[in-house]
Amino acid sequence: MLLSVIKYFKGYVYVRLSGYAPERFLNLCGSHDILIWNLKSTKDGYEFCISVAGFKQLRPILKKTRTHIHIQKRYGMPFELYHYRKRKMFAMGMLLFAGLIYYLSGFIWNIEVNGNSYLSEEVVLCFLSKEHASFGTKKKNIDCAALEETLRSRYPEVIWTSIKIYGTKMTVDIQENLLPEENYEEKKEETAHDIVAADDGLITEMITRSGTPAVTVGTPVKKGDVLVNGYVEILNDDGETAQYLYRTADADIIAKVTYSYHDEIPMEYVKKVPTGAEKITYQVRILDYLIENPFFSPVEEPYEVVSDVSQFHFTDNFYLPVYLVRQTCVGYKNEQKTYTEKEAKRLASENLKKYLDDLEEKGIQITEKNVIIERTKKKYVVKGTIGTLKSIVSYQPTKIIEQSSEERQPTDESD
């Protein structure tokens, strides 16, 4: 691709070679480092492409080999400029266009976010906008290293990031902590933290690594109950509490949690039926300015607009703030429909599956489903419970236990 661009800007010609010793001519071109390409054999010689600079070196070789060369076609920028040499406005327009492209190349016009899971692309773009490093920002005003550090400090779930600028494109590569959200809470502070229940449930598994357990396996808990205290009791020889050591509790706690499920499906609904009427128009958007087609008129009936936006770019990394917008107006008509019991059950199953998939994406294990569908006069009602196993770990600051001076004073055993 790059070689073709270079050839175009330098210019080249397509020629026909004939005469006494065309093969010797080709050999001499090779020995003099004259590049030829697209070589084809003809009845009386050869045809090939050669650069303008190489063509100018052929006279002594043609004389030595008693061959003749004829130009068939000319290609490239030098010939285009010569053709338009008398059109000064065209030349000025080309210079202005080149100057505009050079000016726009100093800004960011495309941002690509890779590797994000917890953080949505909208959150990352909003962060860049607040840091004055979004679309339309001058590249020289962006400090990539400072952006990386700020992004990691602001979002604890981001453990590594790389921000690079190539051409007019910025790439933001992110690596996140894939542990559940409660595992990357800021619990490494100086103050101690208790582990509390994030949901109502029944404890089924519990492994404590730090802190004092307040519940055991088989204990039912409510949301907000303390599960592991963020302190450890230090006992004296009499078995009494001499002091408390405070630290952030650390434990894996799994509980059986039951979710209530409720969904309603109206019997009657409005369905949009396509009429087959369709019109397509193209618009151009430059920055925030939209250039509409003044001669376009949409379909007369109700219609939906489907837009497809393509950003103009020369290479994968050189984007410009110019967009081609393809709009398709699709006509439709509204029809009143009624769900059959079979259709309602199918839709209810799809909604339930989506709900369960959302739970599983959060790391929640589904253990049982007790869901029924009932029909009323105007709707189908789907209700029931979903049994799950999930981590219910969340954190709150540990309450400091006040001790009297007598309790803090060590026991004298000399008596």
Side-chain angles (χ1 to χ4, degrees):
M1 177 63 182
L2 181 60
L3 185 59
S4 300
V5 174
I6 293 174
K7 289 177 181 178
Y8 177 79
F9 276 99
K10 289 188 174 182
Y12 63 94
V13 292
Y14 185 68
V15 300
R16 176 179 293 173
L17 177 69
S18 60
Y20 177 72
E23 288 78 10
R24 187 185 178 197
F25 170 89
L26 298 176
N27 291 333
L28 288 174
C29 286
S31 63
H32 286 77
D33 294 328
I34 299 175
L35 178 65
I36 62 176
W37 66 93
N38 291 347
L39 180 65
K40 296 179 182 179
S41 176
T42 61
K43 292 181 180 180
D44 56 348
Y46 295 92
E47 291 181 354
F48 55 85
C49 293
I50 185 170
S51 66
V52 173
F55 184 82
K56 294 178 179 179
Q57 303 176 36
L58 295 182
R59 179 169 293 182
I61 299 177
L62 291 169
K63 186 175 181 181
K64 185 179 293 185
T65 58
R66 290 186 286 176
T67 52
H68 306 281
I69 198 166
H70 302 279
I71 297 176
Q72 304 296 310
K73 199 167 184 180
R74 298 172 175 83
Y75 300 92
M77 182 64 73
F79 302 110
E80 295 289 341
L81 293 177
Y82 181 79
H83 180 71
Y84 293 104
R85 66 189 183 281
K86 295 183 179 180
R87 302 183 181 181
K88 296 181 180 179
M89 294 301 297
F90 176 79
M92 291 179 61
M94 291 294 293
L95 290 175
L96 288 174
F97 178 75
L100 180 62
I101 295 297
Y102 177 77
Y103 174 74
L104 292 176
S105 66
F107 296 82
I108 295 296
W109 299 118
N110 185 270
I111 299 176
E112 182 179 279
V113 182
N114 302 312
N116 56 309
S117 178
Y118 292 115
L119 290 181
S120 66
E121 185 172 341
E122 290 74 16
V123 171
V124 177
L125 294 179
C126 183
F127 162 79
L128 294 175
S129 179
K130 291 180 180 178
E131 296 298 321
H132 307 290
S134 188
F135 298 98
T137 305
K138 286 187 176 181
K139 296 191 292 185
K140 66 179 182 180
N141 295 337
I142 298 177
D143 187 343
C144 294
L147 277 178
E148 293 171 358
E149 183 177 352
T150 305
L151 181 61
R152 288 193 299 269
S153 61
R154 187 166 301 178
Y155 300 99
E157 58 267 47
V158 177
I159 60 176
W160 176 87
T161 183
S162 174
I163 300 177
K164 302 293 182 183
I165 296 176
Y166 304 95
T168 61
K169 177 181 178 180
M170 175 191 289
T171 60
V172 182
D173 295 312
I174 293 175
Q175 184 175 348
E176 299 173 331
N177 189 346
L178 299 180
L179 296 175
E181 184 176 355
E182 62 268 14
N183 288 345
Y184 54 77
E185 291 282 347
E186 291 192 17
K187 54 185 180 180
K188 295 183 179 180
E189 302 175 1
E190 294 181 359
T191 57
H193 282 72
D194 297 332
I195 294 179
V196 298
D199 284 297
D200 299 348
L202 179 69
I203 305 296
T204 59
E205 297 179 30
M206 185 170 179
I207 301 175
T208 305
R209 289 181 288 271
S210 176
T212 303
V215 296
T216 59
V217 173
T219 303
V221 295
K222 297 289 185 181
K223 182 177 181 179
D225 289 351
V226 176
L227 307 180
V228 181
N229 290 298
Y231 61 80
V232 177
E233 295 181 350
I234 304 300
L235 305 179
N236 57 22
D237 293 341
D238 295 333
E240 299 176 346
T241 303
Q243 62 176 328
Y244 294 94
L245 295 181
Y246 293 93
R247 63 191 63 185
T248 295
D250 184 15
D252 294 333
I253 304 174
I254 304 298
K256 182 178 180 181
V257 178
T258 301
Y259 289 92
S260 297
Y261 181 79
H262 185 86
D263 187 21
E264 295 182 357
I265 303 173
M267 287 187 179
E268 295 184 352
Y269 65 100
V270 177
K271 182 178 181 181
K272 295 180 179 179
V273 180
T275 61
E278 182 177 297
K279 285 189 176 181
I280 299 175
T281 183
Y282 292 89
Q283 302 173 345
V284 176
R285 180 161 63 89
I286 302 175
L287 293 175
D288 294 330
Y289 301 97
L290 184 65
I291 303 174
E292 299 182 357
N293 182 359
F295 304 103
F296 175 75
S297 58
V299 293
E300 296 181 356
E301 54 202 24
Y303 62 90
E304 290 182 331
V305 179
V306 180
S307 297
D308 183 19
V309 181
S310 301
Q311 187 173 5
F312 182 77
H313 59 95
F314 291 112
T315 64
D316 290 340
N317 296 321
F318 195 91
Y319 286 78
L320 293 176
V322 181
Y323 305 83
L324 178 64
V325 182
R326 182 180 187 269
Q327 287 191 339
T328 304
C329 299
V330 181
Y332 68 90
K333 61 180 180 179
N334 293 324
E335 291 186 0
Q336 198 75 16
K337 297 284 186 178
T338 302
Y339 284 120
T340 63
E341 186 173 352
K342 183 178 180 181
E343 290 173 337
K345 288 183 178 179
R346 177 183 56 79
L347 185 58
S349 298
E350 292 176 357
N351 293 344
L352 178 60
K353 184 178 184 303
K354 183 179 179 181
Y355 179 79
L356 297 177
D357 290 342
D358 290 340
L359 291 179
E360 291 178 344
E361 285 182 4
K362 298 176 182 178
I364 300 174
Q365 180 183 349
I366 309 299
T367 57
E368 59 180 344
K369 297 176 289 185
N370 297 311
V371 179
I372 61 173
I373 181 170
E374 296 178 349
R375 179 175 178 175
T376 64
K377 291 183 178 180
K378 295 184 178 181
K379 59 187 176 182
Y380 293 93
V381 178
V382 186
K383 58 183 179 180
T385 57
I386 309 295
T388 67
L389 289 176
K390 61 172 289 189
S391 171
I392 58 170
V393 173
S394 63
Y395 294 88
Q396 72 176 17
T398 300
K399 183 178 180 181
I400 304 300
I401 301 175
E402 296 293 338
Q403 289 182 275
S404 64
S405 58
E406 295 179 356
E407 291 176 324
R408 291 194 297 269
Q409 185 175 1
T411 304
D412 186 0
E413 298 181 351
S414 60
D415 296 338

